[in-house]
Amino acid sequence: MNVLDTEPYSYVLLDDDGEWILTFLLGGPVVRDVSVALTDDEVAAIQRGDRSAAALVETFRTDASTYDGRRVRPPVWPGRDSDDSDSNA
């Protein structure tokens, strides 16, 4: 798992064996983390410099329907074993 981009206390963009995953924090009464598998179009836009991870985070925060069906559970963070079973999810 490689960290491609990060903004402390906001988001991290990861490459997990070719799958790009954007994990970000959602605020409100309770802060929670959300991981989204990016589409090929989103990955290509970031690679071309047409879109940034920060811009995607803002889109996702504004409208959760933009990542319907692409949410990764449990949320993915660097250094956290994805096979870890002590998640409450």
Side-chain angles (χ1 to χ4, degrees), residues 59-80:
T59 299
F60 294 158
R61 283 180 178 155
T62 303
D63 184 3
S65 71
T66 58
Y67 58 86
D68 276 345
R70 299 189 285 144
R71 191 155 174 195
V72 178
R73 290 189 175 114
V76 181
W77 289 100
R80 185 185 290 179

Side-chain angles (χ1 to χ4, degrees), residues 8-39:
Y9 307 105
S10 182
Y11 70 85
V12 63
L13 176 62
L14 303 164
D15 179 349
D16 187 19
D17 293 326
E19 180 179 32
W20 285 29
I21 300 171
L22 183 58
T23 300
F24 57 96
L25 298 175
L26 280 177
V30 175
V31 175
R32 58 192 167 107
D33 48 356
V34 175
S35 291
V36 176
L38 299 186
T39 65

